[in-house]
Amino acid sequence: MDQIQIQGLRVHARHGLTPEEKAFGQEWEVDLIMDCDLRRPGSSDHPEDTLDRRELIEDVEALLKENCWNLAETIAEEIARMVLREYPLVQRAEVQVKQTQCPIPADFDFVGVRIVRER
């Protein structure tokens, strides 16, 4: 299956378990891998035949900024639901949500979740 990918989308948003995370927010990073049949846009070269990446990025940013969830699992689930609902070209969405500034006293690149949802 063909794929459209968005890697490393960084959004400052107010999610988390602690009052500080919800009050001040932190950087979240989102990776999306979406299975789509890209033969038509590959042949037609018409933008309307494919997924509008700018619109999708704006939708993901708005979803994260307009809500306040406790868990990365919820963020990933809501992104996957929105992608499958709003973008009919997408047959399968793999969503990874990374918390790069997690308040855990340890040395790590990120903590996060990865989910896969399909129609």
Side-chain angles (χ1 to χ4, degrees):
M1 178 62 68
D2 308 325
Q3 296 180 331
I4 293 175
Q5 298 184 17
I6 297 172
Q7 299 287 324
L9 174 61
R10 288 173 292 285
V11 180
H12 187 84
R14 298 170 188 248
H15 306 283
L17 294 174
T18 69
E20 294 79 18
E21 289 174 299
K22 290 186 176 182
F24 302 111
Q26 61 190 298
E27 182 177 272
W28 293 84
E29 192 170 308
V30 176
D31 297 333
L32 293 170
I33 300 174
M34 296 157 289
D35 289 354
C36 313
D37 184 345
L38 298 177
R39 287 178 283 200
R40 182 174 179 173
S43 297
S44 72
D45 198 33
H46 293 151
E48 62 273 9
D49 289 339
T50 194
L51 187 146
D52 185 331
R53 279 79 145 173
R54 181 182 309 231
E55 181 181 323
L56 175 60
I57 288 170
E58 289 172 358
D59 287 347
V60 171
E61 289 176 331
L63 188 67
L64 267 68
K65 289 179 180 182
E66 294 170 4
N67 293 282
C68 184
W69 293 301
N70 292 319
L71 302 176
E73 291 87 332
T74 306
I75 298 168
E77 188 68 39
E78 292 297 328
I79 292 170
R81 283 183 190 156
M82 182 273 298
V83 168
L84 292 172
R85 182 182 63 245
E86 300 296 325
Y87 296 91
L89 184 65
V90 178
Q91 296 302 307
R92 177 182 171 274
E94 180 177 329
V95 181
Q96 182 171 16
V97 174
K98 303 173 186 175
Q99 190 176 9
T100 60
Q101 301 165 339
C102 183
I104 297 174
D107 185 21
F108 56 85
D109 291 333
F110 68 88
V111 296
V113 298
R114 180 187 306 259
I115 66 167
V116 177
R117 300 292 181 265
E118 54 189 79
R119 294 190 187 279

mmCIF file of all heavy atoms in Angstrom, residues 63-97:
data_model
loop_
_atom_site.group_PDB
_atom_site.id
_atom_site.type_symbol
_atom_site.label_atom_id
_atom_site.label_comp_id
_atom_site.label_asym_id
_atom_site.label_seq_id
_atom_site.Cartn_x
_atom_site.Cartn_y
_atom_site.Cartn_z
ATOM 1 N N LEU A 63 -6.522 20.276 16.774
ATOM 2 C CA LEU A 63 -7.005 19.236 17.681
ATOM 3 C C LEU A 63 -6.196 19.238 18.975
ATOM 4 O O LEU A 63 -6.770 19.176 20.073
ATOM 5 C CB LEU A 63 -6.926 17.877 16.986
ATOM 6 C CG LEU A 63 -7.560 16.697 17.698
ATOM 7 C CD1 LEU A 63 -9.072 16.853 17.765
ATOM 8 C CD2 LEU A 63 -7.208 15.409 16.957
ATOM 9 N N LEU A 64 -4.884 19.335 18.862
ATOM 10 C CA LEU A 64 -4.040 19.323 20.053
ATOM 11 C C LEU A 64 -4.166 20.613 20.865
ATOM 12 O O LEU A 64 -4.173 20.579 22.094
ATOM 13 C CB LEU A 64 -2.574 19.073 19.687
ATOM 14 C CG LEU A 64 -2.157 17.603 19.737
ATOM 15 C CD1 LEU A 64 -2.808 16.787 18.662
ATOM 16 C CD2 LEU A 64 -0.667 17.476 19.692
ATOM 17 N N LYS A 65 -4.285 21.733 20.198
ATOM 18 C CA LYS A 65 -4.329 23.014 20.907
ATOM 19 C C LYS A 65 -5.695 23.296 21.529
ATOM 20 O O LYS A 65 -5.784 23.996 22.527
ATOM 21 C CB LYS A 65 -3.951 24.147 19.955
ATOM 22 C CG LYS A 65 -2.481 24.135 19.582
ATOM 23 C CD LYS A 65 -2.136 25.240 18.627
ATOM 24 C CE LYS A 65 -0.659 25.194 18.270
ATOM 25 N NZ LYS A 65 -0.265 26.275 17.376
ATOM 26 N N GLU A 66 -6.764 22.754 20.964
ATOM 27 C CA GLU A 66 -8.124 23.061 21.430
ATOM 28 C C GLU A 66 -8.630 22.102 22.492
ATOM 29 O O GLU A 66 -9.745 22.278 22.990
ATOM 30 C CB GLU A 66 -9.080 23.079 20.239
ATOM 31 C CG GLU A 66 -8.791 24.210 19.274
ATOM 32 C CD GLU A 66 -9.573 24.102 17.966
ATOM 33 O OE1 GLU A 66 -10.407 23.170 17.839
ATOM 34 O OE2 GLU A 66 -9.336 24.944 17.084
ATOM 35 N N ASN A 67 -7.863 21.081 22.830
ATOM 36 C CA ASN A 67 -8.299 20.085 23.807
ATOM 37 C C ASN A 67 -7.268 19.960 24.914
ATOM 38 O O ASN A 67 -6.146 20.443 24.802
ATOM 39 C CB ASN A 67 -8.513 18.732 23.125
ATOM 40 C CG ASN A 67 -9.681 18.785 22.167
ATOM 41 O OD1 ASN A 67 -10.828 18.731 22.580
ATOM 42 N ND2 ASN A 67 -9.395 18.917 20.878
ATOM 43 N N CYS A 68 -7.666 19.289 25.989
ATOM 44 C CA CYS A 68 -6.776 19.071 27.125
ATOM 45 C C CYS A 68 -7.015 17.653 27.643
ATOM 46 O O CYS A 68 -7.992 17.407 28.350
ATOM 47 C CB CYS A 68 -7.063 20.106 28.205
ATOM 48 S SG CYS A 68 -5.948 19.995 29.605
ATOM 49 N N TRP A 69 -6.146 16.729 27.241
ATOM 50 C CA TRP A 69 -6.289 15.334 27.636
ATOM 51 C C TRP A 69 -5.193 14.946 28.616
ATOM 52 O O TRP A 69 -4.132 15.570 28.668
ATOM 53 C CB TRP A 69 -6.240 14.425 26.408
ATOM 54 C CG TRP A 69 -7.421 14.608 25.502
ATOM 55 C CD1 TRP A 69 -8.738 14.439 25.834
ATOM 56 C CD2 TRP A 69 -7.409 14.979 24.127
ATOM 57 N NE1 TRP A 69 -9.542 14.691 24.737
ATOM 58 C CE2 TRP A 69 -8.750 15.024 23.672
ATOM 59 C CE3 TRP A 69 -6.389 15.284 23.225
ATOM 60 C CZ2 TRP A 69 -9.104 15.351 22.377
ATOM 61 C CZ3 TRP A 69 -6.736 15.611 21.918
ATOM 62 C CH2 TRP A 69 -8.077 15.634 21.506
ATOM 63 N N ASN A 70 -5.439 13.880 29.360
ATOM 64 C CA ASN A 70 -4.467 13.374 30.330
ATOM 65 C C ASN A 70 -3.384 12.534 29.664
ATOM 66 O O ASN A 70 -2.219 12.595 30.050
ATOM 67 C CB ASN A 70 -5.154 12.516 31.398
ATOM 68 C CG ASN A 70 -6.064 13.332 32.291
ATOM 69 O OD1 ASN A 70 -5.739 14.433 32.686
ATOM 70 N ND2 ASN A 70 -7.215 12.774 32.599
ATOM 71 N N LEU A 71 -3.770 11.704 28.695
ATOM 72 C CA LEU A 71 -2.895 10.645 28.200
ATOM 73 C C LEU A 71 -2.480 10.826 26.743
ATOM 74 O O LEU A 71 -3.297 11.236 25.894
ATOM 75 C CB LEU A 71 -3.598 9.292 28.326
ATOM 76 C CG LEU A 71 -4.057 8.882 29.724
ATOM 77 C CD1 LEU A 71 -4.823 7.571 29.651
ATOM 78 C CD2 LEU A 71 -2.875 8.768 30.665
ATOM 79 N N ALA A 72 -1.257 10.419 26.449
ATOM 80 C CA ALA A 72 -0.795 10.367 25.056
ATOM 81 C C ALA A 72 -1.646 9.388 24.261
ATOM 82 O O ALA A 72 -1.868 9.578 23.062
ATOM 83 C CB ALA A 72 0.678 9.974 25.008
ATOM 84 N N GLU A 73 -2.130 8.341 24.908
ATOM 85 C CA GLU A 73 -2.993 7.358 24.248
ATOM 86 C C GLU A 73 -4.257 8.017 23.694
ATOM 87 O O GLU A 73 -4.694 7.727 22.582
ATOM 88 C CB GLU A 73 -3.391 6.246 25.222
ATOM 89 C CG GLU A 73 -2.251 5.338 25.616
ATOM 90 C CD GLU A 73 -1.424 5.814 26.810
ATOM 91 O OE1 GLU A 73 -1.329 7.034 27.066
ATOM 92 O OE2 GLU A 73 -0.851 4.938 27.488
ATOM 93 N N THR A 74 -4.826 8.936 24.467
ATOM 94 C CA THR A 74 -6.028 9.645 24.025
ATOM 95 C C THR A 74 -5.709 10.574 22.863
ATOM 96 O O THR A 74 -6.472 10.652 21.895
ATOM 97 C CB THR A 74 -6.645 10.444 25.191
ATOM 98 O OG1 THR A 74 -6.861 9.566 26.289
ATOM 99 C CG2 THR A 74 -7.949 11.086 24.786
ATOM 100 N N ILE A 75 -4.587 11.262 22.943
ATOM 101 C CA ILE A 75 -4.182 12.151 21.849
ATOM 102 C C ILE A 75 -4.055 11.358 20.559
ATOM 103 O O ILE A 75 -4.594 11.749 19.519
ATOM 104 C CB ILE A 75 -2.851 12.856 22.180
ATOM 105 C CG1 ILE A 75 -2.987 13.740 23.421
ATOM 106 C CG2 ILE A 75 -2.359 13.668 20.990
ATOM 107 C CD1 ILE A 75 -1.668 14.248 23.978
ATOM 108 N N ALA A 76 -3.354 10.234 20.609
ATOM 109 C CA ALA A 76 -3.159 9.404 19.417
ATOM 110 C C ALA A 76 -4.490 8.899 18.876
ATOM 111 O O ALA A 76 -4.733 8.926 17.662
ATOM 112 C CB ALA A 76 -2.234 8.232 19.741
ATOM 113 N N GLU A 77 -5.354 8.440 19.757
ATOM 114 C CA GLU A 77 -6.666 7.926 19.339
ATOM 115 C C GLU A 77 -7.495 9.015 18.662
ATOM 116 O O GLU A 77 -8.111 8.783 17.622
ATOM 117 C CB GLU A 77 -7.412 7.366 20.548
ATOM 118 C CG GLU A 77 -8.692 6.642 20.198
ATOM 119 C CD GLU A 77 -8.469 5.336 19.451
ATOM 120 O OE1 GLU A 77 -7.521 4.602 19.787
ATOM 121 O OE2 GLU A 77 -9.239 5.051 18.517
ATOM 122 N N GLU A 78 -7.501 10.203 19.237
ATOM 123 C CA GLU A 78 -8.288 11.299 18.658
ATOM 124 C C GLU A 78 -7.732 11.738 17.303
ATOM 125 O O GLU A 78 -8.489 12.067 16.392
ATOM 126 C CB GLU A 78 -8.352 12.473 19.639
ATOM 127 C CG GLU A 78 -9.159 12.173 20.883
ATOM 128 C CD GLU A 78 -10.633 11.878 20.606
ATOM 129 O OE1 GLU A 78 -11.196 12.438 19.653
ATOM 130 O OE2 GLU A 78 -11.222 11.087 21.359
ATOM 131 N N ILE A 79 -6.415 11.742 17.167
ATOM 132 C CA ILE A 79 -5.823 12.078 15.864
ATOM 133 C C ILE A 79 -6.225 11.034 14.827
ATOM 134 O O ILE A 79 -6.642 11.380 13.717
ATOM 135 C CB ILE A 79 -4.289 12.192 15.961
ATOM 136 C CG1 ILE A 79 -3.894 13.406 16.802
ATOM 137 C CG2 ILE A 79 -3.661 12.274 14.563
ATOM 138 C CD1 ILE A 79 -2.414 13.479 17.149
ATOM 139 N N ALA A 80 -6.113 9.761 15.173
ATOM 140 C CA ALA A 80 -6.469 8.694 14.229
ATOM 141 C C ALA A 80 -7.938 8.786 13.828
ATOM 142 O O ALA A 80 -8.269 8.659 12.643
ATOM 143 C CB ALA A 80 -6.162 7.330 14.841
ATOM 144 N N ARG A 81 -8.818 9.019 14.785
ATOM 145 C CA ARG A 81 -10.256 9.154 14.480
ATOM 146 C C ARG A 81 -10.506 10.298 13.512
ATOM 147 O O ARG A 81 -11.276 10.180 12.565
ATOM 148 C CB ARG A 81 -11.045 9.395 15.764
ATOM 149 C CG ARG A 81 -11.256 8.182 16.601
ATOM 150 C CD ARG A 81 -12.121 8.508 17.810
ATOM 151 N NE ARG A 81 -12.122 7.388 18.730
ATOM 152 C CZ ARG A 81 -12.364 7.474 20.007
ATOM 153 N NH1 ARG A 81 -12.627 8.649 20.558
ATOM 154 N NH2 ARG A 81 -12.349 6.406 20.765
ATOM 155 N N MET A 82 -9.873 11.442 13.792
ATOM 156 C CA MET A 82 -10.065 12.603 12.936
ATOM 157 C C MET A 82 -9.558 12.339 11.525
ATOM 158 O O MET A 82 -10.229 12.659 10.546
ATOM 159 C CB MET A 82 -9.358 13.821 13.559
ATOM 160 C CG MET A 82 -9.513 15.121 12.779
ATOM 161 S SD MET A 82 -8.283 15.393 11.478
ATOM 162 C CE MET A 82 -6.772 15.452 12.407
ATOM 163 N N VAL A 83 -8.387 11.735 11.413
ATOM 164 C CA VAL A 83 -7.814 11.457 10.090
ATOM 165 C C VAL A 83 -8.732 10.536 9.289
ATOM 166 O O VAL A 83 -9.046 10.803 8.119
ATOM 167 C CB VAL A 83 -6.398 10.853 10.213
ATOM 168 C CG1 VAL A 83 -5.919 10.291 8.890
ATOM 169 C CG2 VAL A 83 -5.419 11.900 10.741
ATOM 170 N N LEU A 84 -9.203 9.466 9.912
ATOM 171 C CA LEU A 84 -10.057 8.515 9.191
ATOM 172 C C LEU A 84 -11.432 9.113 8.887
ATOM 173 O O LEU A 84 -12.045 8.772 7.874
ATOM 174 C CB LEU A 84 -10.190 7.215 9.986
ATOM 175 C CG LEU A 84 -8.898 6.401 10.084
ATOM 176 C CD1 LEU A 84 -9.063 5.242 11.054
ATOM 177 C CD2 LEU A 84 -8.455 5.896 8.711
ATOM 178 N N ARG A 85 -11.913 10.002 9.730
ATOM 179 C CA ARG A 85 -13.215 10.636 9.512
ATOM 180 C C ARG A 85 -13.146 11.710 8.419
ATOM 181 O O ARG A 85 -14.013 11.784 7.548
ATOM 182 C CB ARG A 85 -13.714 11.248 10.829
ATOM 183 C CG ARG A 85 -15.080 11.904 10.732
ATOM 184 C CD ARG A 85 -15.511 12.546 12.048
ATOM 185 N NE ARG A 85 -14.611 13.630 12.442
ATOM 186 C CZ ARG A 85 -13.848 13.613 13.528
ATOM 187 N NH1 ARG A 85 -13.849 12.585 14.354
ATOM 188 N NH2 ARG A 85 -13.050 14.636 13.814
ATOM 189 N N GLU A 86 -12.113 12.537 8.459
ATOM 190 C CA GLU A 86 -12.048 13.719 7.590
ATOM 191 C C GLU A 86 -11.340 13.500 6.256
ATOM 192 O O GLU A 86 -11.479 14.321 5.352
ATOM 193 C CB GLU A 86 -11.366 14.866 8.334
ATOM 194 C CG GLU A 86 -12.072 15.290 9.611
ATOM 195 C CD GLU A 86 -13.468 15.850 9.360
ATOM 196 O OE1 GLU A 86 -13.670 16.508 8.319
ATOM 197 O OE2 GLU A 86 -14.348 15.626 10.216
ATOM 198 N N TYR A 87 -10.589 12.420 6.140
ATOM 199 C CA TYR A 87 -9.778 12.207 4.938
ATOM 200 C C TYR A 87 -10.086 10.830 4.342
ATOM 201 O O TYR A 87 -9.439 9.840 4.694
ATOM 202 C CB TYR A 87 -8.286 12.371 5.272
ATOM 203 C CG TYR A 87 -7.976 13.784 5.715
ATOM 204 C CD1 TYR A 87 -8.035 14.146 7.063
ATOM 205 C CD2 TYR A 87 -7.684 14.775 4.781
ATOM 206 C CE1 TYR A 87 -7.792 15.452 7.466
ATOM 207 C CE2 TYR A 87 -7.442 16.083 5.179
ATOM 208 C CZ TYR A 87 -7.498 16.412 6.514
ATOM 209 O OH TYR A 87 -7.264 17.708 6.899
ATOM 210 N N PRO A 88 -11.067 10.755 3.460
ATOM 211 C CA PRO A 88 -11.513 9.460 2.925
ATOM 212 C C PRO A 88 -10.453 8.700 2.134
ATOM 213 O O PRO A 88 -10.553 7.480 1.992
ATOM 214 C CB PRO A 88 -12.704 9.812 2.034
ATOM 215 C CG PRO A 88 -12.738 11.286 1.916
ATOM 216 C CD PRO A 88 -11.861 11.868 2.970
ATOM 217 N N LEU A 89 -9.444 9.370 1.649
ATOM 218 C CA LEU A 89 -8.373 8.696 0.923
ATOM 219 C C LEU A 89 -7.580 7.763 1.842
ATOM 220 O O LEU A 89 -7.035 6.750 1.405
ATOM 221 C CB LEU A 89 -7.437 9.743 0.299
ATOM 222 C CG LEU A 89 -6.300 9.241 -0.594
ATOM 223 C CD1 LEU A 89 -6.863 8.580 -1.850
ATOM 224 C CD2 LEU A 89 -5.382 10.388 -0.981
ATOM 225 N N VAL A 90 -7.539 8.068 3.144
ATOM 226 C CA VAL A 90 -6.744 7.302 4.102
ATOM 227 C C VAL A 90 -7.493 6.028 4.498
ATOM 228 O O VAL A 90 -8.617 6.085 4.971
ATOM 229 C CB VAL A 90 -6.420 8.145 5.352
ATOM 230 C CG1 VAL A 90 -5.635 7.323 6.365
ATOM 231 C CG2 VAL A 90 -5.655 9.411 4.966
ATOM 232 N N GLN A 91 -6.846 4.893 4.305
ATOM 233 C CA GLN A 91 -7.425 3.599 4.669
ATOM 234 C C GLN A 91 -6.915 3.102 6.024
ATOM 235 O O GLN A 91 -7.593 2.354 6.707
ATOM 236 C CB GLN A 91 -7.116 2.558 3.593
ATOM 237 C CG GLN A 91 -7.758 2.879 2.255
ATOM 238 C CD GLN A 91 -9.266 2.999 2.392
ATOM 239 O OE1 GLN A 91 -9.936 2.122 2.909
ATOM 240 N NE2 GLN A 91 -9.805 4.119 1.929
ATOM 241 N N ARG A 92 -5.726 3.517 6.386
ATOM 242 C CA ARG A 92 -5.092 3.065 7.633
ATOM 243 C C ARG A 92 -4.218 4.207 8.138
ATOM 244 O O ARG A 92 -3.501 4.837 7.355
ATOM 245 C CB ARG A 92 -4.239 1.830 7.360
ATOM 246 C CG ARG A 92 -3.469 1.297 8.530
ATOM 247 C CD ARG A 92 -2.617 0.086 8.061
ATOM 248 N NE ARG A 92 -1.700 -0.355 9.066
ATOM 249 C CZ ARG A 92 -0.468 0.132 9.274
ATOM 250 N NH1 ARG A 92 0.005 1.098 8.518
ATOM 251 N NH2 ARG A 92 0.294 -0.349 10.218
ATOM 252 N N ALA A 93 -4.322 4.499 9.440
ATOM 253 C CA ALA A 93 -3.527 5.583 10.019
ATOM 254 C C ALA A 93 -2.681 5.039 11.161
ATOM 255 O O ALA A 93 -3.205 4.422 12.088
ATOM 256 C CB ALA A 93 -4.431 6.697 10.522
ATOM 257 N N GLU A 94 -1.402 5.249 11.064
ATOM 258 C CA GLU A 94 -0.483 4.931 12.157
ATOM 259 C C GLU A 94 -0.077 6.267 12.773
ATOM 260 O O GLU A 94 0.408 7.154 12.071
ATOM 261 C CB GLU A 94 0.740 4.198 11.627
ATOM 262 C CG GLU A 94 1.737 3.832 12.684
ATOM 263 C CD GLU A 94 2.909 3.032 12.142
ATOM 264 O OE1 GLU A 94 2.718 2.276 11.164
ATOM 265 O OE2 GLU A 94 4.013 3.176 12.686
ATOM 266 N N VAL A 95 -0.314 6.396 14.062
ATOM 267 C CA VAL A 95 -0.069 7.657 14.754
ATOM 268 C C VAL A 95 0.887 7.398 15.908
ATOM 269 O O VAL A 95 0.634 6.550 16.756
ATOM 270 C CB VAL A 95 -1.386 8.257 15.308
ATOM 271 C CG1 VAL A 95 -1.108 9.580 16.013
ATOM 272 C CG2 VAL A 95 -2.426 8.416 14.212
ATOM 273 N N GLN A 96 1.977 8.146 15.932
ATOM 274 C CA GLN A 96 2.891 8.091 17.066
ATOM 275 C C GLN A 96 2.884 9.462 17.731
ATOM 276 O O GLN A 96 3.035 10.487 17.057
ATOM 277 C CB GLN A 96 4.308 7.730 16.651
ATOM 278 C CG GLN A 96 5.239 7.618 17.840
ATOM 279 C CD GLN A 96 6.601 7.050 17.488
ATOM 280 O OE1 GLN A 96 6.989 7.004 16.329
ATOM 281 N NE2 GLN A 96 7.323 6.619 18.481
ATOM 282 N N VAL A 97 2.672 9.473 19.043
ATOM 283 C CA VAL A 97 2.685 10.698 19.823
ATOM 284 C C VAL A 97 3.852 10.608 20.798
ATOM 285 O O VAL A 97 3.955 9.642 21.561
ATOM 286 C CB VAL A 97 1.357 10.899 20.576
ATOM 287 C CG1 VAL A 97 1.436 12.103 21.499
ATOM 288 C CG2 VAL A 97 0.201 11.044 19.592
#
